[in-house]
Amino acid sequence: QKEVEQDPGPLSVPEGAIVSLNCTYSNSAFQYFMWYRQYSRKGPELLMYTYSSGNKEDGRFTAQVDKSSKYISLFIRDSQPSDSATYLCAMKRGNTGGFKTIFGAGTRLFVKA
Amino acid sequence: EAEVAQSPRYKITEKSQAVAFWCDPISGHATLYWYRQILGQGPELLVQFQDESVVDDSQLPKDRFSAERLKGVDSTLKIQPAELGDSAMYLCASSKGPQGADTQYFGPGTRLTVL
């Protein structure tokens, strides 16, 4: 069983829709939770970073963490064609030398104009 | 805005050949990571450096892969000999430190194709 599970999609939505992306995890040792956006043939860029359970909002993006259910979500409001990318969830747990980041497989999102 | 630099951006090689990738982290970042991302999957850590020391290379195939960060700044990842299954994106990332709150910044990656 993978430590982090993420549906690879693809997910196709019309412009302006609310997008919901999700990940589940099995290891309660994860302490930090991130969402990265990756455009085709580019490196991942950090979108959201949370530590505790609850919601964190940044513009059109809201990250939600539910540690009791081992479930994290990313919501995108008023989605735009420029949001079309792969969204990777990632989580950090303690490791030798600090913390280790485990990534989900990524969900491919297409926003149609 | 400071960025992580990687070269080359693309590399095509034949199996059994040697390849090398270079990474220059953001200035002042003590922690450097090499990840491998196979198409359709998330990045997987190959090796983590703290300054010039390796702190995690548990997933590095040491029979063919090597990594170094001699002066604690830039780093090189080498594969010798390359195999067909090594075709992937190789990503370098850096952070100020190894702690949970330290953000990792990724470079553009090197896409390797092994023929």
Side-chain angles (χ1 to χ4, degrees):
Chain A
Q1 182 186 10
K2 292 183 179 180
E3 288 187 85
V4 179
E5 298 280 359
Q6 182 175 13
D7 186 337
L11 179 63
S12 184
V13 300
E15 183 176 358
I18 296 174
V19 176
S20 173
L21 304 167
N22 312 294
C23 287
T24 60
Y25 61 97
S26 57
N27 192 339
S28 58
F30 287 121
Q31 299 178 44
Y32 295 85
F33 305 89
M34 294 82 71
W35 286 94
Y36 284 85
R37 178 174 62 195
Q38 186 174 25
Y39 291 113
S40 181
R41 303 183 184 276
K42 303 285 188 182
E45 58 175 321
L46 183 67
L47 280 177
M48 301 289 283
Y49 195 116
T50 56
Y51 172 70
S52 57
S53 283
N55 293 352
K56 182 177 181 180
E57 189 173 317
D58 184 0
R60 296 184 296 113
F61 299 92
T62 299
Q64 190 173 79
V65 174
D66 183 347
K67 288 187 175 180
S68 63
S69 300
K70 296 188 179 66
Y71 188 88
I72 69 170
S73 300
L74 178 71
F75 298 96
I76 307 174
R77 290 182 297 281
D78 187 25
S79 56
Q80 302 295 311
S82 58
D83 294 327
S84 298
T86 296
Y87 289 80
L88 297 157
C89 65
M91 309 176 188
K92 287 188 181 182
R93 55 173 168 78
N95 194 44
T96 55
F99 280 75
K100 184 168 187 173
T101 303
I102 307 296
F103 286 83
T107 299
R108 291 196 69 187
L109 171 67
F110 296 95
V111 181
K112 299 172 293 185
Chain B
E1 182 177 295
E3 296 180 340
V4 176
Q6 288 188 250
S7 67
R9 292 294 309 279
Y10 303 92
K11 179 70 178 178
I12 299 174
T13 190
E14 294 185 346
K15 64 179 182 179
S16 80
Q17 296 298 304
V19 293
F21 313 131
W22 177 79
C23 172
D24 191 12
I26 293 172
S27 178
H29 280 196
T31 310
L32 185 146
Y33 314 79
W34 283 102
Y35 288 88
R36 177 169 60 186
Q37 185 176 24
I38 295 170
L39 191 63
Q41 298 182 23
E44 290 188 87
L45 182 69
L46 290 174
V47 62
Q48 177 181 341
F49 289 92
Q50 182 62 30
D51 299 308
E52 67 276 7
S53 300
V54 173
V55 295
D56 186 353
D57 62 356
S58 57
Q59 300 302 309
L60 188 71
K62 297 179 188 65
D63 57 335
R64 298 185 299 108
F65 286 64
S66 63
E68 60 182 16
R69 192 184 184 198
L70 292 176
K71 296 182 179 179
V73 181
D74 58 341
S75 175
T76 302
L77 178 69
K78 297 179 181 178
I79 308 175
Q80 184 174 17
E83 295 180 354
L84 296 178
D86 296 332
S87 294
M89 174 82 93
Y90 290 82
L91 292 161
C92 179
S94 71
S95 61
K96 288 184 179 180
Q99 299 312 313
D102 290 316
T103 301
Q104 290 183 37
Y105 296 88
F106 283 83
T110 296
R111 181 168 293 280
L112 173 67
T113 302
V114 182
L115 303 175

